[in-house]
Amino acid sequence: QQQVKQSPQSLIVQKGGIPIINCAYENTAFDYFPWYQQFPGKGPALLIAIRPDVSEKKEGRFTISFNKSAKQFSLHIMDSQPGDSATYFCAASKGSGAQKLVFGQGTRLTINP
Amino acid sequence: EADIYQTPRYLVIGTGKKITLECSQTMGHDKMYWYQQDPGMELHLIHYSYGVNSTEKGDLSSESTVSRIRTEHFPLTLESARPSHTSQYLCASSDAPGQYFGPGTRLTVT
């Protein structure tokens, strides 16, 4: 059972465009939703995260939009650059103790110059 | 910035060998995790630990074992490597709530 579903699987955007990656979750007990960025040969790096008490969070060019009623959240990358080309993973966890993350399937993003 | 280290970065080994993948962190985090990831694919949790002498199996069944004798050290062992164990193994640690990942070990079993 896939608890976090991520789409699209791959995405190609021109430089300056705004790629949007979507995730949907099933477990309403999830209360922490991070996004990770992974470059080839590297471990994932925490990019930005949101809790369900807010509908949007911005950090630099990265924005998370959160829709609690629809159980969906998305990552937007403003003014995308070729250096943003990477695989992006959404994730979710519940509770303040274990922080066992459930990851989405990943989106391979390519930003063309 | 998190400091979490994994060695070796790359390992090619023959079937039947015993291997240990090392993971160390310098942040004093109580919680540590091991994930298995095929290239470009999602991460699967195989082991986690909430502190010294605490280890649990993750969501993906794995033939590997782990130990947590010291807070900063969380090694993963495969007693008898098989080609099906070929994958990338990622170690992570957390205080709360985000997890910080090491660079990974790329394991190839021939």
Side-chain angles (χ1 to χ4, degrees):
Chain A
Q1 181 183 4
Q2 184 64 42
Q3 294 191 62
V4 179
K5 295 182 179 179
Q6 183 172 347
S7 63
Q9 190 172 4
S10 64
L11 183 60
I12 300 173
V13 173
Q14 290 298 117
K15 177 183 174 183
I18 305 176
I20 300 172
I21 304 171
N22 300 297
C23 282
Y25 63 97
E26 299 171 2
N27 191 338
T28 55
F30 287 147
D31 62 359
Y32 175 72
F33 303 90
W35 284 91
Y36 285 84
Q37 179 189 57
Q38 185 178 29
F39 293 106
K42 305 287 187 181
L46 180 61
L47 197 59
I48 185 173
I50 197 168
R51 293 213 182 261
D53 52 346
V54 296
S55 59
E56 186 177 276
K57 183 174 182 179
K58 291 182 180 180
E59 285 188 7
R61 296 184 294 108
F62 300 93
T63 299
I64 299 179
S65 297
F66 187 85
N67 186 328
K68 188 174 180 179
S69 61
K71 294 189 287 185
Q72 294 175 349
F73 58 110
S74 60
L75 176 71
H76 302 232
I77 305 176
M78 306 301 176
D79 188 27
S80 59
Q81 301 296 316
D84 296 328
S85 297
T87 300
Y88 292 80
F89 293 93
C90 63
S93 69
K94 58 183 177 179
S96 59
Q99 283 103 46
K100 285 174 61 181
L101 286 171
V102 177
F103 282 86
Q105 299 90 329
T107 296
R108 179 171 292 184
L109 174 65
T110 302
I111 308 297
N112 286 330
Chain B
E1 185 172 320
D3 292 317
I4 182 164
Y5 308 98
Q6 291 187 245
T7 57
R9 292 293 316 278
Y10 304 93
L11 179 61
V12 180
I13 201 164
T15 298
K17 299 291 185 182
K18 177 180 179 179
I19 60 170
T20 296
L21 307 184
E22 302 288 350
C23 176
S24 295
Q25 50 98 1
T26 60
M27 291 82 66
H29 290 167
D30 285 329
K31 300 178 183 67
M32 297 189 73
Y33 312 81
W34 276 102
Y35 292 86
Q36 186 173 339
Q37 181 189 33
D38 291 327
M41 304 298 285
E42 67 188 287
L43 287 77
H44 295 283
L45 180 68
I46 53 175
H47 297 283
Y48 61 99
S49 168
Y50 296 158
V52 171
N53 295 324
S54 156
T55 61
E56 301 286 345
K57 288 191 177 292
D59 302 322
L60 180 68
S61 177
S62 173
E63 294 170 345
S64 59
T65 59
V66 293
S67 62
R68 190 86 183 276
I69 299 174
R70 303 197 317 264
T71 297
E72 65 272 20
H73 194 214
F74 190 39
L76 180 146
T77 298
L78 274 167
E79 290 292 334
S80 179
R82 295 208 302 263
S84 61
H85 296 140
T86 294
S87 189
Q88 173 159 265
Y89 293 83
L90 291 160
C91 181
S93 72
S94 72
D95 46 3
Q99 291 185 17
Y100 301 94
F101 285 81
T105 294
R106 163 70 62 196
L107 172 65
T108 302
V109 184
T110 61

